[in-house]
Amino acid sequence: RLLARPPAAVPRPLPSRRCAEAVAGRLGLERIGVSELAQTLGAHEAWDDERKCHVLDEDAVLDAMEPKLGKGGCVVDYHACELFPERWFDLVVVLRAGTEVLYDRLRARNYADSKLQENVQCEIMQVVLEEARESYAPEIVVELRNETPEDLEATLSRVATWGEAWARDHGTG
C-alpha cells in the first residue's frame, strides 16, 4: 500500500497522477485517486470560493476506501496525508518539484494567482513533506523529485525495487 503525495498542499499537478498510475501499473496495484473518488461519490461538504474547489467530505471518502485499503494492493494519489490512518500504508512517497517547474505547471492549468502563490509557498516551506513526516513513521516516508520524464523513470524503478523487496520479505512475491 503506497501513498503518493505531490508537491504543494492544494490540488495536485497532473504529473503526480501519471506517476501514481505508472507505479500502480508496474507493480500490478490499483490506483485510487482520492479527488476522483470524491467526485464519483459526491463526497463534498462545501465549495471553497477562494480556491475554486470542493471541500472534501473526509468521512465519506475514508469509509469508501476502507475495504480496499484494508486488504492492500493500492496506490493512493492525493495532496494530503494526515486524514489517512497510518496502518493503511507501507510506503509514503512525497513527490517534489522545484518552484519554477511547479509555477509553470500551475500557470499552464490556469490557477488563480493566489492559489498559485499558495502552492509555491507550500513547496518552499516543504509543507507536504513535513506533514508526511509528522503523520507516518519516518522510515516509510521517501522524498523523490518529479520534474522530468527521467525523474518519473527513476521513481518507478526505485518504487518497483522497494515493492519487490517488500513482497519477498512478507512472503507475497
Side-chain angles (χ1 to χ4, degrees):
R1 297 167 291 197
L2 171 70
L3 173 62
R5 299 207 48 225
V10 291
R12 64 186 167 18
L14 205 51
S16 72
R17 178 181 179 160
R18 286 195 300 264
C19 184
E21 288 171 345
V23 167
R26 184 164 299 179
L27 294 176
L29 304 174
E30 177 184 357
R31 176 193 165 268
I32 298 175
V34 175
S35 296
E36 293 94 342
L37 177 61
Q39 182 81 19
T40 300
L41 297 171
H44 302 112
E45 293 181 344
W47 176 258
D48 183 332
D49 282 328
E50 184 179 339
R51 291 190 176 98
K52 306 288 185 233
C53 64
H54 287 101
V55 176
L56 184 72
D57 179 345
E58 293 178 5
D59 290 335
V61 170
L62 292 174
D63 288 347
M65 292 175 68
E66 177 74 43
K68 288 184 181 185
L69 272 289
K71 293 180 204 171
C74 300
V75 174
V76 175
D77 178 17
Y78 195 53
H79 64 269
C81 68
E82 62 279 353
L83 66 148
F84 302 116
E86 187 174 359
R87 70 180 183 279
W88 279 6
F89 301 106
D90 302 300
L91 180 67
V92 177
V93 177
V94 178
L95 301 173
R96 302 288 311 273
T99 55
E100 288 181 18
V101 171
L102 182 60
Y103 181 92
D104 291 345
R105 285 178 184 171
L106 300 179
R107 177 61 65 206
R109 292 181 68 194
N110 297 316
Y111 272 41
D113 286 340
S114 61
K115 190 172 178 181
L116 195 152
Q117 290 304 317
E118 180 181 10
N119 275 263
V120 171
Q121 285 297 321
C122 285
E123 186 64 14
I124 290 169
M125 302 296 290
Q126 300 186 63
V127 170
V128 173
L129 180 60
E130 291 306 315
E131 286 178 358
R133 288 178 174 159
E134 291 171 6
S135 298
Y136 299 94
E139 62 270 10
I140 71 166
V141 177
V142 178
E143 172 187 7
L144 299 173
R145 299 270 340 127
N146 185 31
E147 294 183 353
T148 67
E150 294 79 17
D151 291 340
L152 174 59
E153 194 52 45
T155 294
L156 292 175
S157 178
R158 185 165 179 189
V159 173
T161 299
W162 177 88
E164 291 161 2
W166 188 94
R168 270 192 320 274
D169 293 347
H170 293 82
T172 60

